[in-house]
Amino acid sequence: MARVLPLSKGNTLVHQLCCRFILRRFQSSSSLFSARRSVDSCSYSSVADIEVTEGYAKVIDGKLIAAQIRDEIAMEVSKMKSVKGIVPGLAVILVGDRKDSATYVQRKKEACESVGISSYEACLPDHSSEKEVLKHISAYNDDPSVHGILVQLPLPSHMNEENILNAVRIEKDVDGFHPLNFGNLAMRDREPLFIPCTPKGCIELLHRYNIGIKGKNAVVIGRSNIVGTPAALLLLREEATISIVHAETKNVEEITRQADILIAAAGQANIVTGSWIKPGAVVLDVGINPVEDADSPQGYRIVGDVKYDEACKVASAITPVPGGIGPMTIAMLLSNTLLSAKRIHNFW
């Protein structure tokens, strides 16, 4: 039986292993018009085919949609370069010598290059001061060739993460975590400059699969600033009726079974069983959790927050793990970087 790997403080192990795994799979994704195949016991689905098949859910293929989006971004980047002579640029700041973080930064660089976006990086030693990091952020803030800035997390323990992230200019905050971006997302009739990448990817999948959101009951499991809370705010903007469940919520299963759309972002392997899901619901599984697997060459495999073999017998549509939300997160980072460049240079 698979056992969930022990986690370090702040779920760092999960985050770093998952990021590395997603990006490796993202880089090796199959062609846009890949043949139909099976994913576990659920049938593979085209974008146009999202109707319910009795007994099994249709797979919402994030890898396919991410490939489409990357093709679209590459075309826009090429057009911008030929018309304006401008190439979008993404800068990443890495502090420390963690191999997993270094691998993640390298994969981001490769993702950028695959669509024609320039990548820049500042690699600082672990003992660097907060002042040194802020100096690099300031330089990228003022660099006209840089349109998006990402500070790789986690930062060393002696640094104030909030101060560093807030130093990124809101116009280049492609992660969407700046307080002003977040605040505008929460307010009606306000538009954030950027939307956090993972929640944005969730909504984009619903749109591209023509899954209606307006008037639906939507439940988000998890309330993090990275996924849960912004996902709920985005669903609210789409005129869904929203509930958020978390560690202190009573009768969680009773609430989730009311969801027409269920987004699982708890960060716990297989916590959502089939009994949590309303028959015919659409399930988006954000969770990416490494569990020990002696049969795997890596010694682990990746599973979601949703117990997939049960959920796909109840839901009408579901994202797999891997191959669902993960590739969309990277695609949305590229999309936000392009958006920043277009906004800065008034290229629409």
Side-chain angles (χ1 to χ4, degrees), residues 64-260:
L64 175 71
I65 300 302
Q68 292 177 346
I69 292 170
R70 289 177 64 186
D71 286 348
E72 294 163 7
I73 290 171
M75 290 177 64
E76 287 290 307
V77 169
S78 178
K79 181 180 177 181
M80 189 175 191
K81 182 178 180 180
S82 63
V83 174
K84 300 280 287 189
I86 300 296
V87 176
L90 174 66
V92 179
I93 297 174
L94 173 65
V95 185
D97 56 1
R98 294 175 60 107
K99 291 183 178 179
D100 47 10
S101 289
T103 298
Y104 192 22
V105 169
Q106 177 62 28
R107 298 300 184 184
K108 286 178 179 177
K109 180 179 180 179
E110 293 170 2
C112 286
E113 292 174 349
S114 73
V115 297
I117 291 176
S118 297
S119 61
Y120 307 88
E121 60 184 75
C123 298
L124 306 176
D126 185 78
H127 60 266
S128 299
S129 67
E130 188 173 313
K131 184 177 180 180
E132 288 177 281
V133 178
L134 292 173
K135 180 180 178 181
H136 281 276
I137 292 175
S138 178
Y140 284 136
N141 279 340
D142 296 334
D143 187 341
S145 65
V146 172
H147 305 96
I149 302 172
L150 238 167
V151 179
Q152 179 65 35
L153 301 178
L155 290 166
S157 59
H158 66 276
M159 294 187 179
N160 187 312
E161 181 178 297
E162 182 178 351
N163 287 345
I164 289 174
L165 295 180
N166 289 353
V168 176
R169 277 179 54 187
I170 187 172
E171 296 87 357
K172 299 187 178 185
D173 172 41
V174 289
D175 258 342
F177 296 151
H178 192 285
L180 291 178
N181 271 324
F182 217 104
N184 284 331
L185 178 62
M187 298 180 69
R188 295 189 64 182
D189 302 320
R190 301 285 184 89
E191 292 299 327
L193 294 182
F194 302 101
I195 295 170
C197 298
T198 299
K200 183 178 180 181
C202 290
I203 300 301
E204 186 70 18
L205 277 179
L206 294 176
H207 286 167
R208 297 215 178 201
Y209 272 85
N210 297 314
I211 297 171
I213 304 174
K214 184 176 181 179
K216 299 290 182 66
N217 289 326
V219 175
V220 179
I221 304 174
R223 54 180 171 177
S224 73
N225 290 334
I226 297 173
V227 181
T229 299
L233 292 172
L234 284 172
L235 289 164
L236 188 61
R237 281 177 167 251
E238 298 277 342
E239 300 189 74
T241 300
I242 304 303
S243 297
I244 301 176
V245 301
H246 48 77
E248 303 302 323
T249 301
K250 309 300 181 184
N251 302 319
V252 171
E253 183 175 330
E254 180 181 330
I255 297 171
T256 61
R257 281 184 60 85
Q258 299 175 28
D260 302 307

Side-chain angles (χ1 to χ4, degrees), residues 46-61:
S46 69
V47 173
D49 181 15
I50 202 69
E51 296 178 359
V52 179
T53 300
E54 185 176 357
Y56 295 103
K58 293 295 183 178
V59 174
I60 300 175
D61 187 359

Side-chain angles (χ1 to χ4, degrees), residues 36-53 56-65 205 209 211 282-284 308 312 315-325:
R36 289 174 177 262
R37 60 182 175 85
S38 63
V39 180
D40 294 344
S41 60
C42 297
S43 62
Y44 203 62
S45 171
S46 69
V47 173
D49 181 15
I50 202 69
E51 296 178 359
V52 179
T53 300
Y56 295 103
K58 293 295 183 178
V59 174
I60 300 175
D61 187 359
K63 187 157 59 174
L64 175 71
I65 300 302
L205 277 179
Y209 272 85
I211 297 171
V282 173
V283 178
L284 302 183
Y308 190 77
C312 69
S316 64
I318 188 170
T319 57
V321 177
I325 304 300

